[in-house]
Amino acid sequence: ALPICNLFMRCTKTLFVLATVVIASVAVCGCSSKNEETEQPVTPNTITIDGKEKTILQAVYTDFTLSNDYQLALILSQDHNERVEINFNTTNHANKDINLAKRDDASQEGGSWKVNYYDAAGNLVINTWGQSKENYNEGEAILPVFIQGRMRIAPGKNNDINIFLKDGEVIGKDGKKHTIIINYDGKTEK
C-alpha cells in the first residue's frame, strides 16, 4: 500500500505545480499595463475631423520671418476651401508638446498657437487661439482653446515638417463639440 500512496502523492504534487504554472501564466497574459497605449493607429498624412478621415493634399506655409511666426495651411480639397490652418512660433512651439487646453504664457515673445478648420464651403468651423487673455485688447472677442488635445510641431530640413495633434476636442463656432486628429509628415510649399 505504501508504493501506491507514494505514487499518488507524487502525482498530486506534480498536478499542483502544473496547475499553479497554468494559473500564473493566464494571470500574466490576461493583465495589461496601465501605460499600454490603446489608441487606434492614425493614417499618415491625414486629418480626421468628427470621425471622418481626410487626406492632406498639400501643405503651404507663410513665413513671418521677423518674428519666427508661421502659418501652415493643410489643404484638404482641390479648391483649397477645406483646410486646417495652424499658426505657431518656432521659439515657443517647435519641438515641444503643446497642451491645446491651455493658453500660452502672457510674457512670451512672439505669436501664440492657433488651430482653425474651414469646411468644404470655406466656412470657419473651428476657431481657436492660445493667446493669453491678458494679451487681448480691451473689448476684443476672446477665442476659445480646446477642451483637450495635444499637438507637437517638428520642423525639419528642406521645408519638411511633422505635425501630430491627438485627442483634440473643441467647441466650434456652431456651439457643437468637434474632434480633430492630425498626422502630417512631409514637405511644405511657400
Side-chain angles (χ1 to χ4, degrees), residues 96-113:
K96 298 177 183 172
D97 290 323
I98 305 164
N99 181 347
L100 298 175
K102 295 193 177 197
R103 295 187 180 278
D104 285 337
D105 189 298
S107 64
Q108 81 178 19
E109 303 263 334
S112 294
W113 63 262

Side-chain angles (χ1 to χ4, degrees), residues 58-65 69-75 86 88 158-161 163 187-190:
Q58 183 182 18
V60 180
Y61 75 94
T62 304
D63 177 359
F64 306 103
T65 309
D69 290 333
Y70 292 84
Q71 180 181 73
L72 181 66
L74 301 173
I75 309 300
I86 298 170
F88 66 98
N158 302 320
N159 293 334
D160 287 353
I161 196 162
I163 297 177
K187 295 270 183 218
T188 59
E189 303 171 23
K190 200 164 189 179

Side-chain angles (χ1 to χ4, degrees), residues 67-186:
S67 59
N68 291 327
D69 290 333
Y70 292 84
Q71 180 181 73
L72 181 66
L74 301 173
I75 309 300
L76 303 172
S77 65
Q78 292 295 331
D79 61 8
H80 292 213
N81 281 344
E82 188 171 21
R83 67 194 182 279
V84 170
E85 293 178 351
I86 298 170
N87 288 34
F88 66 98
N89 177 279
T90 54
T91 304
N92 301 328
H93 306 112
N95 300 307
K96 298 177 183 172
D97 290 323
I98 305 164
N99 181 347
L100 298 175
K102 295 193 177 197
R103 295 187 180 278
D104 285 337
D105 189 298
S107 64
Q108 81 178 19
E109 303 263 334
S112 294
W113 63 262
K114 285 185 182 182
V115 177
N116 296 332
Y117 167 65
Y118 296 83
D119 67 14
N123 299 314
L124 182 59
V125 177
I126 296 173
N127 187 20
T128 63
W129 193 12
Q131 178 170 284
S132 170
K133 288 182 180 181
E134 292 86 6
N135 289 342
Y136 277 87
N137 295 321
E138 187 175 329
E140 186 178 4
I142 296 175
L143 297 176
V145 293
F146 279 61
I147 297 166
Q148 71 171 22
R150 294 191 106 41
M151 182 168 63
R152 186 165 186 87
I153 301 168
K157 295 180 181 174
N158 302 320
N159 293 334
D160 287 353
I161 196 162
N162 177 277
I163 297 177
F164 191 67
L165 187 157
K166 69 177 192 170
D167 302 326
E169 285 186 17
V170 63
I171 301 298
K173 288 186 57 111
D174 56 6
K176 297 177 184 172
K177 183 162 69 168
H178 296 278
T179 60
I180 183 167
I181 299 169
I182 299 173
N183 183 9
Y184 184 73
D185 189 5

Side-chain angles (χ1 to χ4, degrees), residues 8-43:
F8 179 73
M9 290 302 283
R10 279 191 232 155
C11 287
T12 304
K13 185 177 181 180
T14 303
L15 284 173
F16 179 74
V17 170
L18 182 60
T20 303
V21 168
V22 169
I23 291 170
S25 297
V26 170
V28 169
C29 292
C31 296
S32 63
S33 167
K34 288 183 182 178
N35 296 331
E36 186 177 305
E37 292 287 329
T38 57
E39 297 176 6
Q40 295 294 320
V42 179
T43 306

